[in-house]
Amino acid sequence: PITPGELLCLGSSLAFSGLFYYLYRRKSRVVARIQEAPKLQVDDNLPALVSAAEGRCLPYVALEGIVLPAQAALTSHYHEGLQGVIQKLQLKEHRLIWNSLARSW
């Protein structure tokens, strides 16, 4: 005989397994899109390519080439001698809406 506690544990275990599998599949699709991203060179043709793209935006691309940092290059804490730069920082602010019921933004 199976007790209600065992059924509850089995059900919650199956629910969590399904949730984690769903999240895994969703993130694996994003990783696949990033790995299949086209590799572009940083050269004089890049601005023309970006302006010709839909919405003047290239969603996932890997840029290859030499860039110079504006101030100082970022150094890796894990790999000695590895440096990088941040080309563009995008900040997206979400609109705040007043909730009169909870009296909060």
Side-chain angles (χ1 to χ4, degrees):
I2 298 175
T3 64
E6 291 173 338
L7 285 176
L8 179 67
C9 289
L10 178 64
S12 63
S13 175
L14 289 174
F16 280 121
S17 295
L19 173 69
F20 291 137
Y21 182 71
Y22 167 75
L23 293 174
Y24 164 76
R25 295 284 298 175
R26 192 168 143 194
K27 295 299 177 182
S28 68
R29 279 188 238 126
V30 172
V31 168
R33 282 184 61 197
I34 291 173
Q35 288 177 343
E36 295 170 357
K39 293 183 173 111
L40 303 176
Q41 295 292 325
V42 177
D43 57 7
D44 296 334
N45 298 333
L46 187 60
L49 183 65
V50 172
S51 64
E54 181 182 336
R56 296 180 51 118
C57 178
L58 300 172
Y60 287 111
V61 295
L63 293 177
E64 296 177 341
I66 298 174
V67 295
L68 298 174
Q71 295 176 355
L74 302 172
T75 57
S76 173
H77 295 286
Y78 304 106
H79 300 285
E80 188 175 321
L82 187 63
Q83 294 183 337
V85 295
I86 296 176
Q87 182 180 2
K88 181 179 178 183
L89 179 64
Q90 182 177 1
L91 177 66
K92 182 177 181 180
E93 294 186 20
H94 297 280
R95 191 176 86 181
L96 295 176
I97 299 174
W98 176 254
N99 185 347
S100 61
L101 183 63
R103 297 195 184 272
S104 67
W105 288 98

